[in-house]
Amino acid sequence: METPRNLVVLGAGTAGTMVVNSLRRRLPAAWRITVVEQHDTHDYQPGYLFLPFGAIAPEQVRRRTRRLVHDGIDLVSATVERVDTAEHRVLLADGRVLPYDQLVIATGTTPRPDQTEGTLGPQWHREVGEFYTYEGALALRDQLETFTGGRLVVHITELPIKCPVAPLEFTFLADDWLRRRGLRERTELVFVTPLDGAFTKPVASRALGGLLAEKGITVEADFMVERIDQERRVLVSYDEREVPYDQLVTVPVNMGAAFVAASGLGDELGYVPVDRHTFLADGLDDVFALGDASNLPTSKAGSVAHFSVEVFTQNFLEHIAGRPMTEFLDLLVGSDAHLWACRMSADMNHLSEDDLHEGVEGTISAGDFIELTDGAQLLFV
């Protein structure tokens, strides 16, 4: 009879739900799988972008967490207080303790408006709106219903954030929404970013900046916000520039879960430093971090979580069997596959050739890729 073992997964978002469901099918019965989630609902967070414009109904983005977690998995509704890596246990806020043999941190990233002075004033979720939470997106929908024109400012506080292109998507959706309501000529639309242009790298920044200009949207670049002055309705930067607004839509600082920092597992933003090939937390052999919870230099997005879980699952099975974790890309090269890196993705994530797998044959554009892969079997990773 096998010795009982415990896999504890913290967080039942995209990464956490995929991990427990995938491993339940592949782990022997001796493994008990527990997932800890403080919310009883699982939201399709990309849908938040459309709620302020009434493009979808609130119930379309929300499901019960229990319905998404397969049978044979213990779902614990609780808040994590701390991880004790020395004793291999998770301490919950209600006093319960969960021992683990292996731990996966998949608690994502969370908007933290409290990190910027003046954000959480009396106009929070009113004249100072946001769409990165369910409550915020609905409050912004109600606020926009009363908007009759003026200065609408979309603002990014700092990177990294969930889905880095979402603020731009919101800006373009706002432009369309205003036009359909006959309010565009009465509205000055402004996009405020800490970057030196519309997006992270020159090619994308030029293209998106051109689209913004075509639509008459002003870009206020290199703006590092110090505070929001709700009384005067202005954003104030560290170099004392000011951006006035009638309606502000801000993207607050995004940070990892509080328990990560409390456990001594996080960097300055509360993300877990991990090995980029295995997802093991630095210095530990029984703690992994997946999805937005890790400090990997990839976009914090559901698609990234999806692909990372696919790589992680096989590696995890190798790990608990006492075998070396084989990198997914090594498997592809060993199967005579050809590897190329996407130039735009590499630029966005500040990657050089030294950062890429040794089997990568080059960094190419989308056009090059289409030519090279005519008639081939494709796999995007």
Side-chain angles (χ1 to χ4, degrees), residues 208-219:
L208 292 167
L211 285 174
L212 291 168
E214 285 177 17
K215 294 181 178 295
I217 300 169
T218 302
V219 176

Side-chain angles (χ1 to χ4, degrees), residues 53-365:
F53 306 106
I56 59 174
E59 58 269 20
Q60 290 179 268
V61 304
R62 181 153 279 194
R63 296 289 185 271
R64 289 288 179 186
T65 301
R66 178 72 261 179
R67 291 179 55 192
L68 302 176
V69 175
H70 292 179
D71 293 340
I73 299 165
D74 295 330
L75 175 61
V76 174
S77 181
T79 300
V80 178
E81 184 175 278
R82 187 168 61 88
V83 174
D84 183 346
T85 57
E87 297 295 329
H88 313 284
R89 59 183 188 164
V90 176
L91 309 179
L92 303 180
D94 60 13
R96 284 180 288 175
V97 177
L98 300 176
Y100 65 83
D101 293 286
Q102 295 290 327
L103 177 71
V104 176
I105 298 173
T107 41
T109 184
T110 305
R112 291 289 301 276
D114 60 301
Q115 296 296 301
T116 302
E117 180 185 344
T119 305
L120 293 176
Q123 288 299 321
W124 175 240
H125 281 176
R126 294 183 178 84
E127 291 176 356
V128 179
E130 55 92 11
F131 63 93
Y132 267 60
T133 66
Y134 181 79
E135 295 77 15
L138 292 181
L140 184 56
R141 177 197 62 185
D142 296 341
Q143 188 71 13
L144 288 178
E145 280 297 320
T146 67
F147 186 77
T148 58
R151 209 163 199 259
L152 175 58
V153 174
V154 182
H155 164 245
I156 302 171
T157 301
E158 185 179 341
L159 295 171
I161 57 175
K162 294 181 189 181
C163 192
V165 77
L168 277 167
E169 292 178 298
F170 182 93
T171 304
F172 289 125
L173 286 169
D175 174 78
D176 177 70
W177 181 84
L178 289 164
R179 293 181 190 280
R180 286 187 287 108
R181 293 174 71 96
L183 296 173
R184 187 62 181 93
E185 292 184 358
R186 287 187 275 167
T187 302
E188 183 181 2
L189 197 50
V190 183
F191 183 74
V192 182
T193 174
L195 300 172
D196 59 5
F199 204 55
T200 51
K201 296 301 287 183
V203 174
S205 185
R206 283 195 299 271
L208 292 167
L211 285 174
L212 291 168
E214 285 177 17
K215 294 181 178 295
I217 300 169
T218 302
V219 176
E220 184 76 36
D222 293 312
F223 193 94
M224 299 298 299
V225 67
E226 178 188 11
R227 67 185 186 277
I228 298 175
D229 188 331
Q230 292 194 11
E231 185 174 345
R232 295 174 53 230
R233 291 183 181 170
V234 293
L235 291 168
V236 183
S237 70
Y238 281 99
D239 60 4
E240 299 183 350
R241 284 184 290 159
E242 294 187 351
V243 175
Y245 65 83
D246 294 298
Q247 176 65 53
L248 175 64
V249 180
T250 187
V251 179
V253 172
N254 280 207
M255 298 180 68
F259 78 83
V260 173
S263 307
L265 290 168
D267 59 16
E268 65 277 5
L269 288 175
Y271 301 122
V272 182
V274 298
D275 182 280
R276 63 179 181 172
H277 302 301
T278 66
F279 309 113
L280 269 173
D282 288 356
L284 299 168
D285 66 356
D286 59 357
V287 178
F288 297 83
L290 293 177
D292 295 351
S294 81
N295 75 334
L296 289 178
T298 56
S299 296
K300 294 192 177 298
S303 58
V304 175
H306 180 101
F307 289 120
S308 67
V309 168
E310 291 186 1
V311 175
F312 165 79
T313 300
Q314 183 59 43
N315 271 342
F316 181 80
L317 295 173
E318 300 287 346
H319 182 63
I320 62 174
R323 296 188 291 267
M325 287 185 277
T326 303
E327 295 177 27
F328 182 56
L329 295 182
D330 286 337
L331 295 175
L332 293 177
V333 172
S335 301
D336 295 326
H338 295 276
L339 302 182
W340 290 283
C342 170
R343 180 172 296 144
M344 185 175 72
S345 295
D347 286 346
M348 285 172 56
N349 293 297
H350 311 287
L351 301 176
S352 68
E353 289 188 3
D354 292 337
D355 296 311
L356 303 177
H357 187 277
E358 61 182 13
V360 173
E361 299 176 25
T363 303
I364 61 176
S365 68

